[in-house]
Amino acid sequence: MRGTIVRRIGVALMSAVALAALAGTAPAETVRIRAFGEPGTFHWHPTQKVAVRGDKVVWKNTTEAAHTVTSYGRGWSKDTRVAAAAATSFVFNKTGTFRFRCKIHSTLEGSVCDGMCGSVKVNAP
């Protein structure tokens, strides 16, 4: 009888520890960025977004024109063409600030982007 009670207490303690560990882990979120505008005024909205490590960032093209999501700077690599009404995504597993642009609707001189440019700042959970 005493052994059964000790086992039950042990199982209850292990369950409580497991639940506490899970409670501290938030599920990943989906962060959305959209392409807006008309020719000559295309832009990402928002141009700056904050995410948490492990979040999935989705770029959705809401215009009639094709765009690219192209990384520049350091820390990540992406270069994807996004057709009208299509989307692309990336899961950020590192913290930092990650810059992107549309190669079609922006210019890049050195590290200065002009036009359809944006960034994602990824924080620790």
Side-chain angles (χ1 to χ4, degrees):
M1 174 90 136
R2 183 177 172 149
T4 302
I5 292 172
V6 170
R7 273 190 300 247
R8 287 183 181 169
I9 291 172
V11 169
L13 285 173
M14 288 188 303
S15 297
V17 168
L19 286 174
L22 288 175
T25 305
E29 297 288 328
T30 299
V31 175
R32 300 183 192 290
I33 300 171
R34 290 185 168 78
F36 279 104
E38 298 292 326
T41 66
F42 288 126
H43 61 279
W44 295 110
H45 181 76
T47 57
Q48 297 177 330
K49 194 71 174 179
V50 175
V52 174
R53 187 175 60 229
D55 283 353
K56 177 167 79 171
V57 176
V58 176
W59 291 265
K60 172 83 173 158
N61 185 356
T62 60
T63 73
E64 303 266 332
H67 300 288
T68 71
V69 176
T70 304
S71 60
Y72 71 99
R74 297 189 301 206
W76 72 303
S77 179
K78 184 165 183 71
D79 189 9
T80 303
R81 186 176 175 90
V82 186
T88 186
S89 65
F90 189 87
V91 175
F92 286 93
N93 290 313
K94 297 187 290 185
T95 59
T97 299
F98 304 93
R99 299 181 295 173
F100 61 91
R101 69 187 192 104
C102 172
K103 290 191 300 188
I104 303 165
H105 302 105
S106 70
T107 58
L108 185 62
E109 292 186 33
S111 63
V112 178
C113 185
D114 185 44
M116 197 171 181
C117 313
S119 66
V120 177
K121 181 176 184 201
V122 180
N123 296 319

